[in-house]
């Protein structure tokens, strides 16, 4: 499970920043001796205000208040957080094509995340992420990292970020959306 402080920051950060400005660096934790991906995947799968670890139950009340202020419900927050984290974890892997340049590497590293995405009810997101066929595209571009990143950026802008924005619209309260749009005049700073 996730620590309350991390979930609190996630609740705030997802409200305040557009998807292209939010980064999850999952691939830094991937190493061939101790792959932590299953552990992180379980944490995303179980993400909820009720399931996060709190050393003091008063912390959960603070988290609940923040979530209530910015999201239409705790369930909407959990769904949006899961959806966003899964999209951003996969984007992180897609952003480093040498790691997943072959079908075998792609299947080993990215497919478990896409399966979890679909398994949590986000089949359309999984399909859109899968559309960007890394091994094929990277090879067609002659393993040119710059050209690859331009094409990935275009795919994300056209196909993935609109899905994240739609999820935000469905999950956030007016106050949460105002925070995202910078319309709070500094009143609602997440700290």
């Amino acid at each position: 499970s996730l620590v309350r402080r991390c979930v609190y920051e996630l609740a705030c950060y997802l409200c305040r920043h557009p998807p292209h400005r939010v980064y999850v660096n999952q691939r830094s934790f991937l190493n061939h001796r101790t792959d932590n991906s299953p552990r992180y995947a379980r944490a995303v799968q179980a993400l909820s205000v009720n399931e996060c670890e709190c050393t003091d139950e008063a912390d959960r009340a603070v988290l609940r208040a923040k979530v209530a202020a910015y999201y239409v419900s705790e369930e909407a927050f959990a769904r949006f957080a899961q959806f966003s984290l899964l999209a951003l974890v996969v984007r992180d892997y897609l952003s480093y094509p040498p790691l997943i340049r072959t079908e075998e590497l792609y299947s080993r590293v990215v497919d478990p995340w896409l399966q979890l995405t679909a398994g949590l009810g986000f089949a359309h997101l999984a399909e859109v992420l899968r559309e960007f066929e890394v091994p094929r595209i990277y090879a067609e571009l002659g393993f040119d990292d710059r050209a690859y990143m331009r094409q990935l950026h275009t795919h994300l802008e056209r196909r993935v970020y609109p899905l994240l924005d739609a999820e935000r619209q469905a999950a956030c309260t007016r106050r949460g959306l105002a925070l995202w749009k910078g319309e709070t005049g500094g009143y609602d700073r997440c700290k």
Side-chain angles (χ1 to χ4, degrees), residues 39 60-61 137 169:
R39 182 176 172 206
R60 193 176 315 277
I137 293 168
Q169 293 292 324

Side-chain angles (χ1 to χ4, degrees), residues 21 39 57 101-102 133 147 173:
R21 306 271 317 261
R39 182 176 172 206
E57 275 305 306
R101 69 188 171 282
T102 68
E133 301 172 38
T173 62

Side-chain angles (χ1 to χ4, degrees), residues 30-47:
L30 180 68
N31 93 38
H32 301 288
R33 290 184 314 214
T34 57
D35 179 6
N36 289 317
S37 294
R39 182 176 172 206
Y40 294 116
R42 284 191 303 274
V44 171
Q45 188 173 12
L47 195 149

Side-chain angles (χ1 to χ4, degrees), residues 15-16 174-188:
C15 268
R16 292 192 73 200
R174 275 196 208 138
R175 186 174 173 192
L177 291 172
L179 181 68
W180 175 57
K181 294 175 184 176
E183 297 172 355
T184 60
Y187 171 75
D188 265 309

Side-chain angles (χ1 to χ4, degrees), residues 13 18 40 66 74 79 88 96 107 110 154:
Y13 208 83
Y40 294 116
K66 187 58 66 179
E74 288 183 13
R79 176 186 165 85
L88 297 171
Y96 191 69
S107 292
V110 178
T154 298

Side-chain angles (χ1 to χ4, degrees), residues 41-156:
R42 284 191 303 274
V44 171
Q45 188 173 12
L47 195 149
S48 77
V49 173
N50 285 333
E51 294 298 317
C52 69
E53 295 175 6
C54 296
T55 54
D56 181 349
E57 275 305 306
D59 290 345
R60 193 176 315 277
V62 171
L63 175 59
R64 279 204 159 92
K66 187 58 66 179
V67 168
Y70 295 142
Y71 295 91
V72 297
S73 68
E74 288 183 13
E75 293 77 18
F77 161 70
R79 176 186 165 85
F80 179 54
Q82 288 172 324
F83 190 94
S84 298
L85 286 170
L86 290 165
L88 297 171
V89 163
V90 172
R91 181 192 65 187
D92 182 53
Y93 287 124
L94 299 182
S95 297
Y96 191 69
L99 180 68
I100 53 176
R101 69 188 171 282
T102 68
E103 290 292 335
E104 189 272 325
L105 289 170
Y106 181 91
S107 292
R108 187 174 67 218
V109 174
V110 178
D111 276 348
W113 290 100
L114 295 176
Q115 290 166 7
L116 176 59
T117 301
L120 287 175
F122 311 130
H124 184 62
L125 174 62
E127 290 169 21
V128 167
L129 291 166
R130 195 179 301 278
E131 285 173 4
F132 196 79
E133 301 172 38
V134 176
R136 181 188 59 78
I137 293 168
Y138 196 44
E140 286 176 1
L141 294 171
F143 305 101
D144 179 337
D145 290 341
R146 288 184 128 168
Y148 171 88
M149 289 305 291
R150 281 192 300 273
Q151 197 161 337
L152 175 60
H153 178 74
T154 298
H155 178 74
L156 293 169

